[in-house]
Amino acid sequence: QVQVVESGGGLVETGGSLRLSCTTSGLTFDDYAMGWFRQAPGKEREGVSAISWSGNNTFYKHSVKGRFTISRNNAENTVSLQMSSLEPEDSAMYYCAAGRIRFGDPLNPSEYNLWGQGTQVTVSS
C-alpha cells in the first residue's frame, strides 16, 4: 500500500521558517518526481516546488524562489521543503505528491497521481 505522509506544518510569524517533510512507503521512490503543492481556501491547488527523481533538477514557483529549498533523500524515501522568509500569502494547506513525470510540467498538479493528506501552514502578519 502506497503512503505519502506530510509533517512539519504549523503557525509561524511573518519572516519565520518552517521545514516540511514527506515520508513515503510502498513505492519505488526513485522512479518518481516529487512535488510540493499548496491550496488556500477558495483557491486552486498550485505547484510550489518539485524535484526530479535524481534530485539533479529542481523547480520553483516564481514567488518562492530564493526563499524555499526542496531536497530529497532517495535512501530514506523522503522529500523536504525548507521554507524561509515566510509571508502571510504562503499560508495554505501544503501537499506532497509523487508522479512519474517524463515530459510534463513538474509544477502541474495533474502530473502527479500519489498524494498525501496535507499539512497546514499558517503565517501570521
Side-chain angles (χ1 to χ4, degrees):
Q1 182 181 359
V2 174
Q3 288 192 312
V4 178
V5 180
E6 306 93 337
S7 62
L11 173 64
V12 64
E13 292 183 348
T14 296
S17 299
L18 281 175
R19 184 177 180 87
L20 304 184
S21 296
C22 174
T23 60
T24 69
S25 60
L27 72 163
T28 304
F29 187 68
D30 56 9
D31 276 355
Y32 289 82
M34 298 298 297
W36 285 98
F37 300 82
R38 67 188 183 190
Q39 188 168 18
K43 295 188 176 181
E44 292 188 355
R45 190 169 297 189
E46 62 178 6
V48 175
S49 182
I51 188 167
S52 62
W53 67 270
S54 65
N56 289 339
N57 298 296
T58 57
F59 309 87
Y60 296 94
K61 176 180 171 61
H62 180 73
S63 64
V64 308
K65 282 182 181 178
R67 300 190 296 121
F68 291 10
T69 302
I70 191 170
S71 60
R72 67 186 293 160
N73 185 326
N74 285 355
E76 297 185 354
N77 295 353
T78 61
V79 61
S80 297
L81 186 68
Q82 177 67 46
M83 305 187 295
S84 303
S85 302
L86 283 162
E87 304 165 354
E89 294 72 22
D90 296 315
S91 297
M93 184 71 78
Y94 281 70
Y95 298 90
C96 176
R100 284 189 170 133
I101 301 172
R102 294 296 175 261
F103 303 106
D105 176 3
L107 295 181
N108 185 343
S110 66
E111 296 288 345
Y112 295 78
N113 61 316
L114 301 172
W115 290 83
Q117 295 299 307
T119 186
Q120 179 68 41
V121 171
T122 304
V123 184
S124 63
S125 57

